[in-house]
Amino acid sequence: MAFNNDTLMVGAMSHTSYKNPPYRDNVGATAVLGFNNNEWTPAQSLIPDSATDDARFGFSIAIQDDLAVIGSLENSSAGDYSGAAYVYRNNGVSWEEEVVDPNMPGN
């Protein structure tokens, strides 16, 4: 979970993705909530397209202004249980995943 100004992000590591078939078990998701009119309201759900089964996306979250980095504990897209970090930027309307080189050290 991470909080910055009027944005709250909460990870759900055991979320099963129904975004695109084939469905992916325990891929994880991150809920984005915005603070408006004195209450928190759901704004967006983040699920990376490249995450694998059991990726556990949302394990760790850091947010600063319009930039967020979300960890995927057991993502296997770069090798068994190698993990990954996904970078998102807020364009003023929604959070969009930025392209990050999967071969970069730490990814």
Side-chain angles (χ1 to χ4, degrees):
M1 179 169 58
F3 165 79
N4 186 64
N5 298 324
D6 61 352
T7 302
L8 175 66
M9 291 186 170
V10 180
M13 298 186 318
S14 296
H15 175 78
T16 295
S17 174
Y18 298 100
K19 183 176 179 182
N20 297 314
Y23 305 131
R24 297 170 290 163
D25 289 330
N26 298 318
V27 70
T30 297
V32 181
L33 294 94
F35 192 71
N36 297 308
N37 298 322
N38 243 6
E39 66 182 16
W40 291 100
T41 55
Q44 190 174 354
S45 180
L46 305 176
I47 303 170
D49 290 330
S50 64
T52 59
D53 280 351
D54 300 315
R56 308 286 184 200
F57 176 75
F59 173 76
S60 56
I61 304 168
I63 180 174
Q64 179 69 43
D65 300 325
D66 68 344
L67 187 68
V69 179
I70 304 172
S72 183
L73 178 66
E74 297 178 359
N75 190 52
S76 296
S77 59
D80 288 347
Y81 305 107
S82 57
Y86 293 86
V87 178
Y88 285 82
R89 187 172 302 274
N90 189 308
N91 62 18
V93 176
S94 64
W95 291 87
E96 299 293 327
E97 185 178 344
E98 296 204 338
V99 176
V100 176
D101 181 356
N103 298 315
M104 183 185 329
N107 248 357

